[in-house]
Amino acid sequence: MQIHAKIIKCGRLIDTAARNATITSYAECVFLKIHERSFAVELFIEMQRHGIVQDMYSYSSVLSACYGLKHRREGKSLHALAIKRGLDQAVPVCNSLITMYLKSSNTSMEDAIKIFDSMELKDNVSWNSILTGFSQNGLSEDALKFFGWMRSRPLSVDQYAFSAVIGSCSDLATFQLDDFVSSSLIFMYSKCGVVEDARKSFKATPRCSTITWNSIIFGYAQHGQGKIALDLFLEMNENNVKPDHITFVAVLTACSHIGLVEKGLSYLKSMESNYGIRPRMERFACGVDLLGRAGHVREAEKIIESLPFEADTTVLKTLLGACRLHGDIELATEIAKQLLILEPDEHCTYVLLSSMYGHSGSWEKKASIEWLMKERMVKKVPGWSWIEVKNEVHSFNAEDRSHPQHEEVYQRVEELMEEIKWLYHYEDYEFSYT
């Protein structure tokens, strides 16, 4: 309200952007009540009367007001209008439609799934909404199966997904016997870094399903314990459990993290010939990661060139990360050009390329990337980390100074960095001496 007063005092209320920002600010400070939801729909209709072009944000906003049986009819009319306007593939609109149907009634799950299946592009909100819909409607087994499907995709599973799937776990009577429940527990413990508890959950299962084996192999692979992951893969074969493409993604991840390039490539080649598993994008992404981590970025590039289909952004980002790790600025520039066409709003590509130009002293190129980022209004999203100490969760991001113990934290980080540098130089010396 003070800022609003300042805008009036400075005579800036005639500025459309300032007015819109003020309206948005007030709107976000209150919860929509029933009559306010009706008013939102009325405003939307008024916009049409005045001939104001309504974009995907107009539709996603008004759809968020159409919750419950009372507004179901309005919601379906808006859905039809969104299709007519060609906005039925806009991710924010689709997400709002999914939420609208899920909150309309318990029988609208099918409508929400139809929209989800029709989406060409899906984000985390799309996946989490369907997962939450299954969980809240008592479809616990479907929720667990859907969670398993989510994990087979190149997605980051966040706290909302965990919350939904754990809720479904508690609803199932066959808690430890269900493969999907056991798999979810293994994955949860692994994600939290408690691999020992993940192993305990694994041992408590019959171990005759690929799902549980995949989860435990992934758990060890992602925590740098590649040898154990590969031993488990051999044990899986000895138990006559047939691996699938997800198993090999886990195995290749294990090889990648411990530098077993030749072994990883042999697994990559044997997938189709020995196990009848047809090539998928995830398989090639693992191959690129395997070679890229080991410094063979040009060989990794050849894998992408040999793809029987168009490379997706996951594969390209994997190669770009390898270029950054090993300082191949020339190849990084080529890959980044493709990514900036495919994902012009993704901040990571700009930041990574700008950083590489800075390290190489190419200041003009660095400035041009930062200018392009500013022109396209792309903002860097800070990464957050969480750590649990004595049953208390602490959160922080890069260069964060808000934590009450930040001075001690940064002092310890500096000590660890010095120790890492010393170990790195010592190993180099020992290798040269040998």
Side-chain angles (χ1 to χ4, degrees):
M1 289 178 75
Q2 289 176 346
I3 295 169
H4 186 187
K6 191 73 174 176
I7 290 169
I8 296 170
K9 188 177 179 181
C10 295
R12 299 299 300 172
L13 204 59
I14 58 170
D15 188 314
T16 304
R19 279 208 309 273
N20 289 344
T22 307
I23 293 167
T24 303
S25 178
Y26 280 121
E28 290 180 354
C29 289
V30 294
F31 290 101
L32 283 173
K33 297 176 184 176
I34 298 300
H35 71 276
E36 287 168 336
R37 289 176 183 168
S38 300
F39 184 57
V41 177
E42 287 171 16
L43 278 174
F44 183 84
I45 295 168
E46 193 68 19
M47 284 176 73
Q48 287 190 318
R49 286 175 184 157
H50 287 282
I52 299 170
V53 178
Q54 293 155 318
D55 57 16
M56 62 181 177
Y57 302 107
S58 311
Y59 279 86
S60 57
S61 298
V62 74
L63 283 165
S64 67
C66 298
Y67 293 161
L69 285 169
K70 184 178 178 181
H71 296 277
R72 181 179 169 84
R73 187 175 176 181
E74 292 170 346
K76 288 183 83 68
S77 298
L78 287 165
H79 186 182
L81 196 57
I83 295 171
K84 188 177 178 181
R85 295 283 188 273
L87 293 170
D88 53 315
Q89 279 300 319
V91 175
V93 175
C94 290
N95 289 342
S96 296
L97 283 167
I98 289 170
T99 305
M100 181 201 74
Y101 280 117
L102 289 174
K103 294 193 176 183
S104 293
S105 69
N106 294 335
T107 59
S108 295
M109 191 72 212
E110 190 177 336
D111 291 324
I113 293 170
K114 281 180 183 176
I115 294 166
F116 179 82
D117 289 340
S118 71
M119 293 172 70
E120 293 176 7
L121 295 173
K122 303 175 180 72
D123 61 9
N124 270 43
V125 176
S126 319
W127 289 88
N128 287 346
S129 296
I130 295 295
L131 180 64
T132 304
F134 280 131
S135 181
Q136 291 180 347
N137 286 299
L139 303 168
S140 300
E141 288 190 22
D142 291 316
L144 291 167
K145 289 175 183 176
F146 189 78
F147 183 71
W149 187 30
M150 283 177 69
R151 285 171 44 209
S152 70
R153 312 291 296 174
L155 290 167
S156 57
V157 180
D158 57 24
Q159 67 270 32
Y160 303 107
F162 274 124
S163 174
V165 80
I166 290 171
S168 295
C169 287
S170 64
D171 290 336
L172 288 170
T174 55
F175 191 76
Q176 278 291 341
L177 298 177
D178 189 283
D179 290 333
F180 292 102
V181 177
S182 301
S183 171
S184 299
L185 284 171
I186 294 165
F187 182 73
M188 180 188 71
Y189 285 126
S190 300
K191 194 78 173 176
C192 296
V194 193
V195 190
E196 297 81 9
D197 287 342
R199 189 66 177 258
K200 287 176 186 175
S201 297
F202 173 70
K203 286 181 178 178
T205 67
R207 281 173 283 174
C208 56
S209 167
T210 309
I211 299 165
T212 49
W213 282 96
N214 288 349
S215 297
I216 194 64
I217 294 171
F218 252 124
Y220 279 107
Q222 291 175 335
H223 282 86
Q225 300 186 47
K227 188 179 183 304
I228 298 175
L230 295 177
D231 288 342
L232 281 164
F233 176 64
L234 293 175
E235 192 180 333
M236 179 182 180
N237 283 315
E238 288 168 5
N239 281 269
N240 296 316
V241 180
K242 188 178 179 181
D244 57 17
H245 74 280
I246 300 172
T247 314
F248 279 96
V249 170
V251 168
L252 291 169
T253 300
C255 292
S256 179
H257 284 198
I258 57 176
L260 296 178
V261 179
E262 292 302 322
K263 195 174 187 70
L265 289 175
S266 68
Y267 280 130
L268 193 64
K269 291 172 184 175
S270 69
M271 282 175 63
E272 191 165 7
S273 56
N274 295 357
Y275 297 92
I277 298 169
R278 300 187 69 180
R280 292 195 183 194
M281 192 65 75
E282 294 93 334
R283 164 186 167 181
F284 293 104
C286 288
V288 170
D289 184 57
L290 180 71
L291 290 165
R293 280 176 185 260
H296 308 301
V297 289
R298 295 293 169 170
E299 287 84 349
E301 183 191 16
K302 287 177 183 176
I303 286 184
I304 293 178
E305 289 172 351
S306 68
L307 289 178
F309 32 68
E310 195 72 26
D312 68 2
T313 55
T314 304
V315 176
L316 294 172
K317 284 177 183 175
T318 303
L319 182 55
L320 184 61
C323 290
R324 180 193 183 188
L325 183 65
H326 299 285
D328 193 329
I329 189 73
E330 184 184 341
L331 182 56
T333 304
E334 291 176 21
I335 299 299
K337 283 179 182 176
Q338 296 179 56
L339 282 169
L340 290 176
I341 293 169
L342 294 170
E343 290 185 340
D345 298 326
E346 175 55 61
H347 73 280
C348 297
T349 307
Y350 298 89
V351 173
L352 194 148
L353 197 58
S354 172
S355 174
M356 289 188 72
Y357 283 141
H359 280 101
S360 66
S362 304
W363 304 113
E364 286 185 12
K365 290 181 179 178
K366 177 180 170 68
S368 68
I369 287 293
E370 290 174 353
W371 177 85
L372 182 62
M373 193 174 177
K374 187 175 180 180
E375 185 188 41
R376 293 180 177 179
M377 294 186 289
V378 178
K379 292 184 179 180
K380 181 182 176 182
V381 180
W384 282 87
S385 296
W386 291 265
I387 186 170
E388 185 177 344
V389 181
K390 296 179 180 178
N391 295 323
E392 185 180 354
V393 177
H394 302 264
S395 61
F396 53 91
N397 63 11
E399 299 180 4
D400 185 15
R401 300 279 173 180
S402 61
H403 195 279
Q405 294 175 280
H406 71 269
E407 290 185 6
E408 298 170 53
V409 171
Y410 278 103
Q411 184 181 347
R412 184 62 182 139
V413 169
E414 286 177 16
E415 290 170 4
L416 288 169
M417 290 303 293
E418 288 300 318
E419 191 174 337
I420 289 167
K421 287 178 186 175
W422 184 85
L423 286 169
Y424 178 75
H425 290 306
Y426 176 77
E427 285 176 3
D428 275 358
Y429 170 77
E430 188 177 42
F431 178 77
S432 301
Y433 179 77
T434 304

